[in-house]
Amino acid sequence: MGFEFTMDSFNKVLEDISKNFIFYAPRRIPGKGAFSDTDVVVYQEVEGFGQIELDEKSRFSPKEVINPITQTLFYFNENGYTEPETNNKGIIIFCRPCDANSFKRLDEIFLNNGPFKDSYYESLRRKVKIFVIECVQGFENCFCVSMGTNRFDDYDAFIRVAEDRITCDVKDNLLPAFVKHGISAEMRPDFISENAVKVAIPDQVNKTIFTHEMWREYSERCIACGRCTVVCPTCTCFTMQDIFYEDNHKCGERRRVWASCMIDGFTEVAGGHDFRPDKGMRMRFKAMHKIYDFRKRFGYNMCVGCGRCDDVCPEYISFSNCINKVSALSREVNG
Amino acid sequence: MSNPYSSFKASILSVKPQTDIDYTFRLATDLKVSSGQFVEVSIPRVGEAPISVSDFGEGWIEMTIRRAGKLTDVIHEMIQGKHLYIRGPYGNGFPMDKFKGKNLIIAAGGTGLAPVKSIISSFNQGITGIKDLTLLAGFKTPADVLFRDEISKWHENIQIEITVDNDDTGNWPGGTGLITGLIEQMDIANLEQTEVIIVGPPVMIKFSYLEFIKKGIRKENVWVSFERKMCCGIGKCGHCKIDGTYVCLEGPVFNYAKAEQLVD
Ligand SMILES: Cc1cc2nc3c(=O)[nH]c(=O)nc-3n(C[C@H](O)[C@H](O)[C@H](O)COP(=O)(O)OP(=O)(O)OC[C@H]3O[C@@H](n4cnc5c(N)ncnc54)[C@H](O)[C@@H]3O)c2cc1C
Ligand code: SF4
Ligand code: SF4
Ligand code: FES
């Protein structure tokens, strides 16, 4: 159902539903950017629509809302262990269509890969409602259209912001607050149909490409900082970590923390053997996961084309370029 | 919603040093495992690690653990009556049904013997259906030899050749040299009816494989067990993945025809 609001009336909607929900949205944090005097846009809790950053792509993705950077799995004491308590409030995430599509990818790994569901992820995920913010032109480095993630129809609300007016298409049980504060309006979601950056995805990637010299460029340029995976809305890897408390060694926690296949140590085992020591190999591993082997497993590509990996790379390595190279080579090899 | 990361407490029935740095721990548990599977073992506040089940029976499992770092150092301080936490078992294990009626050759390098030990034990109990078993094992020095007591008993039923890279004692009764030498000397009677398991460090696996191929073994009859870094054992953490293959889910045991396709 469609509704129209002023900023004020939309904030009243948020106020009403805030009794049952926490809102996360991109927010501008002044002075915390990569260079002094620059800002950074990150996902954080917001109270009103005015706090949401609409003009710039967020540096980090919304995945951290349900897949925290550090997450305690167990608290240990002398008698055994307990699991952390969970909050009952629902979660509303304001995000763009690409990010909205990323949750389905996270679901595949945490819920559908292997015989078990990740219960920590599931308990957060089931509380999430997605409020999609319309994109009218996309940002720098975006290539969602190539990935087919420019569209997202499974939203709980779709929001268009134009000249101090907010129009929404709303589904589901949140309707009363929208009915109360808005006026009924015609609203049909629009999605962008072209990005400046276009990426060709290879159908088949021949094994010869795995060891092709194209990867050598990345061996030389990449510094294994892992920024590209930290900002990626679909990267899910983690490492387990046990700690004990300084003031009481008998108590402690088991946590998981984000890990990156681009960083040293990801594949290193006892005895010091590292299965993927070279940065070019790591780039190939990451790229294949994003545009090839995830698809073989789940039927569609993992990458949602948000372009964040390109936004943050200190060495100006372009992932979209890399994929285009793989595609060109694949066409050569496969004929 | 059940929590797949929850472990349960299992008490230590016995601890048996195999070498200075490898101890075998027997735990009381009803866990149903098959040869080649692994469990996630942990000590709260210290850490968790994947460890192969080296043997199992009614009400117990054994693991042979090398002291290699943070967690395994602390495990080595544990004594009978204490307990460890475990979850699992995980992984596919060896295709025991395929081995029925066949001759099986196991080539094991160092601690690679742990994940196959239960195959040898159950063969000795006559419960595998395997026709004939040969074990080739290679260790660095005589002091590194695992499962000595068992090996002396296994001699009755199976053919065993043990070699050390370097005999620093001067009175090692077995052979010296690499395990590939043992394979080279083998006379494999019935190639079609022979299955081969190779377990050990990556380099040892590769060269042993090439040696078996020279003997005329088909790669479809060769099985290997992979070790990769693992943080979850259940297809979530991503560390064990090679291309699109999760070693914790689709492995750790692979047929060589599949294994050779995997590019780290
Ligand atoms: C399927 C499988 C079966 C295994 N079976 C056995 C076994 O039967 N006996 C045995 O002694 N060991 C076995 N291992 C290896 C064992 O898991 C590692 O030795 C153990 O994780 C080291 O933990 P730590 O905390 O003591 O060392 P750490 O202090 O964590 O690390 C020491 C070194 O081990 C590496 N490492 C860390 N975590 C792992 C990991 N999960 N897997 C491999 N290396 C890691 C580190 O990068 C570092 O180089 C197996 C590993 C796998 C994947
Ligand atoms: S790989 Fe890059 S473009 Fe694709 S989803 Fe991840 S950060 Fe976005
Ligand atoms: S952000 Fe760039 S330099 Fe850093 S790991 Fe990724 S590709 Fe390498
Ligand atoms: S061990 Fe975590 S995915 Fe395989």
Side-chain angles (χ1 to χ4, degrees), chain B residues 81-100:
Chain B
K82 298 261 184 199
H83 45 257
L84 293 170
Y85 282 82
I86 53 177
R87 58 183 174 92
Y90 300 124
N92 55 358
F94 290 99
M96 298 306 291
D97 279 345
K98 280 213 168 66
F99 300 157
K100 287 207 166 89

Side-chain angles (χ1 to χ4, degrees), chain A residues 221-228 262 283 286 312-315 317:
Chain A
R221 289 173 62 195
C222 171
I223 57 167
C225 66
R227 280 183 203 157
C228 51
M262 300 300 285
M283 186 70 177
K286 183 189 76 174
V312 298
C313 180
E315 301 300 308
I317 288 170

Side-chain angles (χ1 to χ4, degrees), chain A residues 7 10-11 14 23-28 41-56 58 92-96 131-133 159 161 166:
Chain A
M7 282 296 168
F10 191 73
N11 276 328
L14 296 187
F23 309 116
Y24 289 92
R27 239 182 129 159
R28 177 177 294 274
V41 179
V42 299
Y43 267 80
Q44 277 195 352
E45 223 179 299
V46 292
E47 275 136 34
F49 198 76
Q51 290 170 324
I52 300 178
E53 172 61 45
L54 296 170
D55 298 331
E56 197 182 315
S58 68
I92 287 172
I93 299 177
F94 289 85
C95 61
R96 305 284 174 170
F131 282 23
V132 171
I133 304 172
I159 299 172
V161 190
I166 296 176

Side-chain angles (χ1 to χ4, degrees), chain A residues 90-106:
Chain A
I91 296 168
I92 287 172
I93 299 177
F94 289 85
C95 61
R96 305 284 174 170
C98 61
D99 287 342
N101 277 296
S102 73
F103 294 111
K104 194 175 155 205
R105 277 93 178 142
L106 302 181

Side-chain angles (χ1 to χ4, degrees), chain A residues 222-226 228-229 260-264 266 279 282-283 286:
Chain A
C222 171
I223 57 167
C225 66
C228 51
T229 58
S260 166
C261 60
M262 300 300 285
I263 296 182
D264 291 350
F266 189 78
K279 298 179 196 77
R282 294 179 194 168
M283 186 70 177
K286 183 189 76 174

Side-chain angles (χ1 to χ4, degrees), chain A residues 81 109-110 113 116 118 120 122 126 207 210 237-240 242 249 254 266 268 275-276 284 297, chain B residues 1 3-5 7 42 44-45 47 227-229 231 235-237 239 241 243-244 246 250 261 264:
Chain A
Y81 59 84
I109 301 291
F110 285 117
N113 201 38
F116 304 104
D118 187 294
Y120 297 92
E122 189 180 28
R126 68 189 349 171
K207 273 278 141 72
F210 279 53
C237 293
F238 61 84
T239 300
M240 291 285 200
D242 276 31
H249 287 210
R254 177 162 302 153
F266 189 78
E268 194 179 309
F275 288 92
R276 217 174 297 118
R284 183 216 70 221
R297 204 170 256 269
Chain B
M1 226 186 328
N3 183 339
Y5 301 99
S7 318
S42 65
R45 309 180 315 282
E227 255 192 41
R228 286 297 180 280
K229 178 146 171 156
C231 283
K236 311 295 180 196
C237 77
H239 284 273
K241 192 170 150 294
D243 304 344
Y246 290 80
E250 281 102 40
Q261 297 292 320
D264 271 292

Side-chain angles (χ1 to χ4, degrees), chain B residues 208-255:
Chain B
S208 302
Y209 166 73
L210 292 174
E211 215 54 59
F212 279 114
I213 291 299
K214 272 194 221 155
K215 290 275 161 194
I217 295 279
R218 289 167 53 230
K219 72 174 149 209
E220 288 76 15
N221 290 5
V222 179
W223 305 86
V224 294
S225 180
F226 275 6
E227 255 192 41
R228 286 297 180 280
K229 178 146 171 156
M230 293 186 177
C231 283
C232 72
I234 56 172
K236 311 295 180 196
C237 77
H239 284 273
C240 72
K241 192 170 150 294
I242 314 178
D243 304 344
T245 300
Y246 290 80
V247 176
C248 66
L249 300 176
E250 281 102 40
V253 175
F254 294 98
N255 185 270

